Each structure stands twice: as structure tokens, then as C-alpha cells.
Amino acid sequence: MTFATLINTATPESATLTVLGIESSCDDTAASVVRHAPPAAPKIVSSVVWGQTELHAGFGGVVPEIAARAHAEKLDLAVEGALAQAGVTLADLDAVAVTAGPGLIGGVLSGVMLARGLAAATGLPLLGVNHLAGHALTPRLTDEIPFPYLMLLVSGGHCQFLLVKAADSFTRLGGTIDDAPGEAFDKVAKLLALPQPGGPSVEAAAQGGDSARFALPRPLLDRPGCDMSFSGLKTAVLRTRDALVAEHGGLRRQDRADLCASFQAAVADLLAGKARRALALYMDLNPAQPTLAVAGGVAANLTLRGVLQKAAHDAGAQFLAPPLALCTDNAAMIAWAGIEQIRAGKIEAQDFVARPRWPLDTKAKPLLGSGKKGAKA
Ligand code: KG4
Ligand code: ZN
């Protein structure tokens, strides 16, 4: 069944769909082809992800102008690469799906302009996808789990608990009011002169450390609700570091390890504590196959994964962490979110604009703060 027929079909569930996804909202230039031929599982036929870490390395964060220029230079090559890897041409596609926000607007525009050009030249339908929906729908691409499920998005730019009820229905149960956890890991690494990105280096340094040596705060943990805060924790690490330096004239290896372990334990307590609350709200819905899924680079952290897994099991839910390459930014999730949109009959989405901010849950109150990689929600 072609997409044109699909538009007039009341039940588009069974059509075979091949969609090109394009992602450029932050510092990864990505393109991917995903095919779904029910009842077979969806297949990522190709996925190209080109990071820009080295371009921004000297600036202590992503520089929006540099990111936008790099996307504009490389996006068409990424698309060519994804089509070649998949062994398809534009004629084999049913639609083009592109991240239309939220994110750094220059990068988002680069992707949207390329996608619009492709759609205009080929006559293919164009779908504007919310980047966060891409992350949030990934467990359905990887594991075909049913709605509703609970999603914790934890990366350098995002931190929120989402109740995913349908491809276009998300309820935010809580989120960070300041830094994202990945951002906190990166800042702590910087404070302790550890390499970037901070997450893996803090995790490695924490391995030989005593997590009970420094009593760091657990902001908002004693407050009701699922909102989180990480910036006070980072400040507490700074004060502890300064006290150690004043005492010993520098940071000893063991001090650094103990401080990393103490910081990681605090993040673990915060995420696990709030996850338990979010799980309680979610389990009240009596989901058929209760699941807590994670996405985002921070989900790579084994200590954090361990406590989240325990929280899920204690609540009677399964814990799902998609492969890391699909937890971090990629275009397969955008292609998949496009397929979900088509299946849900949301094909009028062609008339979209690029948006720096685009909350998934439009009814939730805006959260404060905006991560180094752009707006959180
Ligand atoms: O999802 P991601 O690749 O990019 C965006 O933020 O969009 O996440 C990157 C973040 C960085 O802040 C990085 O320090 C953090 O994820 N991260 C980790 C670990 N690996 C990456 N944080 C904690 N532990 C890790 N093992
Ligand atoms: Zn992301």
C-alpha cells in the first residue's frame, strides 16, 4: 500500500512503511532509514550519526552557530549515506520525517530545510517530529512494548519522567527545574579536572571511591512530586573540592575518587527516589505490561541503571534500556516517530514550523532552566 492510499485509509496499521529520518537538533548530524512491515518487527535498515564533539571541545559546551553550520555542511551527505547503506533510493520511501524541535534552532532549521527540499523535489509527504517524542517512542522501535509505559529521559539536555499513553499523548510527571543530570556529570568532571564528556570519566573515577565519605545534598528528594534539581549538588561538589584543596594543597587521587562516588550516589538516590514516585503513579493505571524505560546518554551509567532497575522491579515493572546508540541522539528514532505518526493518522503534520521549545506535554507547567544543549522541554 502506498502512502497516498494510506492517507485515505481508516486503518493504516498494516501498511508497509519505509521512512527516512533526519536529526540535527543538537550536536549530532544523523539520518536513518527505518522500515516497518507488520507483523514483522520494525527494522533499522540504516543509521548514520556524525557527532560534533571535537568541533565544540574548546568551548566548554555546544556552540549553536558552529553546530548549525556543521549540520548544514554535512546533512545531505548523511542522508546520502543512510540511503546508500540501506540500499534504497528516494523512490523507495513512503515519507520523510525530520526533527522540528525542540533544540538549537539553527540546527533544527538546517534539517527542516533539507527535508522540505527533499519533499518538494520528490513529492514525498513530510512529517515534523518532536525530538523528545523520538526518544520517548524508542522502546516501541526496539522492543515493541504496548502503551502505556513510563519513560525516564536522562541526558545532557533532558531530564523528565513521561507517561507515554499513545504516540501523540504524553504526560510529564516531573522533570528537572535546573540542570540535566548529564550536564551535572559534565560540570563535576570539569571541577575535578577529569576529561569530557564527564559522565564516563566520573563513573570510572568513582569505581575506587567511597560513596559515603562526603555527605552531599539530595535536593528536592524530601519534597512531594517527581520534579528534580541537580545544580545544588554541583555547587556542593565545588565547595567540597575547594575545602580539600585548602586542606591538602591539591586533590589527591583518593579524594577525587571518593568525591565522584559520593556525587554519583547522590544522583542515584535522586533518580531512584523520584522514579519510585513516578512508578507509583504509573502503576495506578494498571498497565498490561508495566515497563520503566530509559533513554539518554546518562542511562549508560551502571550505578544509575542498577538503582532504576531495582526501583522498577520493586514496583512490579520491567526495566528496559535500549542499546546505547538508540538511547543517545540518532535519526532512527525520528524515522520511527514518523511511522508512529502515520499509523496514528496524524499525517496532517506536514504543515509545521521549526521550534526551539516544544513541550511534549502541553498541559504541564513549563519547567525552569534550559540545558547547555538547548531547551529541556
Ligand atoms: O543523550 P546524550 O548522548 O546527548 C544529549 O545530551 O543530547 O547524553 C550525553 C550526556 C553527557 O552529559 C554525558 O556526560 C552523559 O550523557 N553520560 C553519562 C555517562 N555516559 C554519558 N553520564 C553518566 N554516566 C555515564 N556513564
Ligand atoms: Zn536528545
Side-chain angles (χ1 to χ4, degrees):
M1 184 187 294
T2 65
F3 191 91
T5 344
L6 188 68
I7 291 176
N8 300 313
T9 307
T11 52
E13 289 85 12
S14 57
T16 294
L17 292 172
T18 307
V19 170
L20 170 70
I22 298 173
E23 156 65 35
S24 57
S25 65
C26 186
D27 58 351
D28 290 297
T29 308
S32 164
V33 175
V34 174
R35 182 174 297 130
H36 189 208
K43 189 168 188 298
I44 300 171
V45 200
S46 67
S47 181
V48 172
V49 182
W50 290 330
Q52 303 177 348
T53 311
E54 70 290 352
L55 292 181
H56 305 284
F59 300 96
V62 177
V63 183
E65 292 76 9
I66 295 177
R69 180 176 299 216
H71 287 308
E73 279 170 5
K74 293 233 167 120
L75 264 171
D76 54 344
L77 298 175
V79 167
E80 265 177 28
L83 293 174
Q85 232 183 60
V88 300
T89 66
L90 290 170
D92 299 311
L93 300 175
D94 293 296
V96 177
V98 62
T99 300
L104 301 173
I105 194 64
V108 176
L109 277 169
S110 300
V112 169
M113 285 191 304
L114 177 75
R116 279 204 195 288
L118 280 174
T122 55
L124 284 169
L126 179 62
L127 302 156
V129 167
N130 183 311
H131 175 88
L132 301 172
H135 279 304
L137 295 170
T138 297
R140 288 173 51 77
L141 166 63
T142 55
D143 293 79
E144 296 186 276
I145 59 168
F147 298 117
Y149 55 92
L150 181 63
M151 155 68 53
L152 170 60
L153 203 52
V154 268
S155 69
H158 321 294
C159 180
Q160 49 187 306
F161 287 104
L162 289 166
L163 198 54
V164 187
K165 291 178 288 190
D168 59 350
S169 174
F170 307 89
T171 304
R172 197 187 64 216
L173 300 179
T176 182
I177 61 164
D178 41 52
D179 291 349
E183 209 176 348
F185 269 94
D186 294 342
K187 287 177 179 169
V188 164
K190 204 168 169 197
L191 290 175
L192 302 179
L194 292 167
Q196 295 293 326
S201 47
V202 169
E203 183 176 23
Q207 265 180 6
D210 172 7
S211 63
R213 177 165 164 208
F214 301 108
L216 299 175
R218 268 69 171 158
L220 296 192
L221 191 54
D222 55 347
R223 303 261 187 92
C226 301
D227 282 347
M228 291 161 280
S229 163
F230 296 92
S231 82
L233 191 50
K234 166 199 68 195
T235 312
V237 170
L238 168 67
R239 294 226 177 84
T240 312
R241 179 205 68 179
D242 288 350
L244 286 165
V245 170
E247 197 180 329
H248 306 295
L251 263 194
R252 295 170 306 184
R253 192 189 173 82
Q254 192 59 44
D255 294 335
R256 195 180 273 120
D258 294 345
L259 198 42
C260 285
S262 301
F263 164 75
Q264 193 170 262
V267 176
D269 280 355
L270 287 173
L271 288 177
K274 296 294 180 171
R276 284 176 195 280
R277 289 210 194 127
L279 278 158
L281 294 170
Y282 164 61
M283 294 303 279
D284 275 349
L285 301 176
N286 288 319
Q289 192 182 310
T291 305
L292 167 64
V294 285
V298 181
N301 186 292
L302 292 179
T303 302
L304 301 181
R305 237 178 226 245
V307 295
L308 290 169
Q309 185 155 28
K310 180 155 191 327
H313 286 171
D314 289 351
Q318 68 161 334
F319 177 75
L320 198 64
L324 194 60
L326 293 173
C327 276
T328 55
D329 287 353
N330 66 87
M333 69 180 190
I334 304 304
W336 173 250
I339 289 175
E340 292 259 31
Q341 259 187 36
I342 296 169
R343 300 244 186 262
K346 300 278 169 192
I347 23 198
E348 74 280 9
Q350 307 197 31
D351 190 22
F352 60 85
V353 289
R355 301 168 65 173
R357 280 193 176 252
W358 185 1
L360 275 181
D361 180 353
T362 43
K363 293 197 192 81
K365 275 195 244 152
L367 288 162
L368 304 170
S370 169
K372 70 178 158 71
K373 293 182 174 179
K376 282 183 194 100

